[in-house]
Amino acid sequence: MRILIIFLCVFITHCENAMAPSKLPFLYTTNGDDFVVIAHRGASAYAPENTHSAFKLALNMQAEMIELDLLLSKDGVPVVIHEDNLERTTGIVGLVSNYTLDELRNFDTGSWFGEEFIQEPFPTLEEVLAYSKGKIAVNIEIKHESVTDSLEGGIVEKALELVKNVEMEDEVIFSSFDYRVMDHLNRLAPDISKALLYEEIQSNGLSPSQLVDLYKVDAFNCSYKELSQAWIDELNENKIPFFVYTINDEQLMEKVIHSGAKGIFTDKPDMLIKVVENL
Ligand code: G3P
Ligand code: MG
C-alpha cells in the first residue's frame, strides 16, 4: 500500500510538471507570427557582439528578442561579455573577474570589429535592460565562469535583482549551460522564464524532455549541430518550446523552422526575418 502511495505521488508530480504550461517572455514585436527571431549577442554580424550598438541595431531591425552573455566584474557587477578572457573583444590580456566595473569601462569593446566602433563602452546588464524595457524581450545567458554553488550574492541573485528593479520579470528569459543556474532560479524566482542550454557532460544521458522535467525549465536550447531527429520528435511530442543557436545560413534557418523550433538565435536577424516572411 505504502509503495502504491509513493508511486502515485511521483506519478502525479510528474504529470503536473509535464502539463505545466511553458512561460516565455512577452514579445513586443512578433513580425506577425509565433516564431521568435533572436538576435544573438545583438545584431552581431553588423556591430561588435554584446555592445549597445549591436543591441540597438537588433531593435531597429525588428528582432523579437536579444540574447546577451553575462559575467560578474571583480566588484560584483553583472556585465555583458561572452568570455571571461577579455582578449578577443578588448585586446586586454586578463579576466573580466580581475577588473572592477570602473576599470572595465576604460577598455574599448568595439574597435576589434571596426574603427567606427572605437568609442563603444563596456555594457552592463542594467544599461541594456533600461532601453529594452517595453521594446524587446531579453535572453540573459549566465556564463558558467561566474556561477558558484552558493546562491547568495551570486550572479543569478544579482541579475534577478536588476530585472526586478525595472519590473521586467515578464520580458526576460534566463538561460545557462551551467545547470546550477536552474536550481538557483527555481529557489529564488520559480516563476521566471528559463531555458536549459544543453550541455552533454551535465546531462547524464537524459533526453531533452527528461532534462526539462528535472530542472523545471520552460524551454530547451541547443546547437543545430546537436539537434537530432529523435530530439525533434520528442520535443514536439511533449510540446516543449525549443530554441536553436547560432544560424546565419538561410537554408539551415528554413530547415530548423520546419523542424518545429520556436525560435532561432542568429547574428543576422534581418536575414531570419526575411526567411520567416518568405516561408
Ligand atoms: O544562448 C545561445 C548561445 O548564445 C549559446 O552559446 O557560446 O554563443 O553563448 P554562446
Ligand atoms: Mg550566448
Side-chain angles (χ1 to χ4, degrees), residues 33-274:
D33 58 42
D34 204 25
F35 181 82
V36 189
V37 172
I38 308 166
H40 178 246
R41 312 181 194 177
S44 58
Y46 314 109
E49 64 181 57
N50 282 319
T51 62
H52 297 312
S53 290
F55 298 132
K56 288 180 179 172
L57 189 56
L59 250 169
N60 290 340
M61 287 178 168
Q62 303 275 295
E64 292 150 348
M65 190 183 291
I66 53 175
E67 185 259 3
L68 58 83
D69 302 294
L70 204 68
L71 285 163
L72 284 184
S73 65
K74 186 180 179 185
D75 50 341
V77 181
V79 291
V80 180
I81 184 168
H82 184 260
E83 292 128 45
D84 196 20
N85 186 331
L86 287 156
E87 195 165 6
R88 182 175 61 86
T89 53
T90 69
I92 301 294
V93 178
L95 303 180
V96 174
S97 47
N98 287 341
Y99 293 93
T100 64
L101 176 61
D102 280 351
E103 289 165 340
L104 291 170
R105 296 273 199 211
N106 294 321
F107 304 152
D108 153 28
T109 66
S111 61
W112 69 275
F113 190 86
E115 276 178 19
E116 66 273 37
F117 296 105
I118 200 157
Q119 300 291 344
E120 194 67 53
F122 205 105
T124 65
L125 176 62
E126 187 174 20
E127 291 163 352
V128 180
L129 292 178
Y131 56 76
S132 300
K133 183 177 167 64
K135 295 200 181 84
I136 192 163
V138 183
N139 181 166
I140 302 171
E141 185 192 335
I142 307 277
K143 285 297 178 192
H144 78 92
E145 293 94 335
S146 290
V147 181
T148 61
D149 287 340
S150 157
L151 113 177
E152 268 151 44
I155 186 166
V156 174
E157 191 180 76
K158 284 174 190 271
L160 263 173
E161 191 184 339
L162 293 173
V163 168
K164 286 181 180 169
N165 285 348
V166 288
E167 298 178 355
M168 283 182 73
E169 291 95 324
D170 295 332
E171 301 170 55
V172 301
I173 179 165
F174 281 88
S175 65
S176 187
F177 287 109
D178 190 322
Y179 296 179
R180 288 176 295 179
V181 167
M182 308 305 142
D183 289 331
H184 292 180
L185 287 167
N186 282 327
R187 284 155 70 191
L188 289 169
D191 290 336
I192 208 128
S193 178
K194 55 193 166 301
L196 188 117
L197 271 159
Y198 180 75
E199 218 256 349
E200 191 178 1
I201 297 169
Q202 288 173 87
S203 298
N204 297 321
L206 295 179
S207 73
S209 71
Q210 289 170 327
L211 290 166
V212 164
D213 263 4
L214 181 63
Y215 290 99
K216 301 186 181 69
V217 294
D218 302 285
F220 180 81
N221 296 5
C222 67
S223 161
Y224 67 88
K225 294 171 193 160
E226 298 162 326
L227 188 66
S228 64
Q229 191 57 48
W231 278 14
I232 291 169
D233 293 344
E234 195 201 56
L235 288 159
N236 284 324
E237 272 161 29
N238 289 284
K239 297 189 171 42
I240 296 167
F242 60 103
F243 297 87
V244 183
Y245 67 90
T246 300
I247 306 181
N248 297 317
D249 171 86
E250 292 182 9
Q251 271 86 45
L252 191 53
M253 285 173 176
E254 277 179 27
K255 191 174 162 211
V256 169
I257 293 167
H258 287 306
S259 76
K262 177 75 179 163
I264 287 177
F265 297 86
T266 178
D267 303 331
K268 299 181 175 180
D270 53 343
M271 176 192 275
L272 182 54
I273 289 168
K274 279 206 191 97

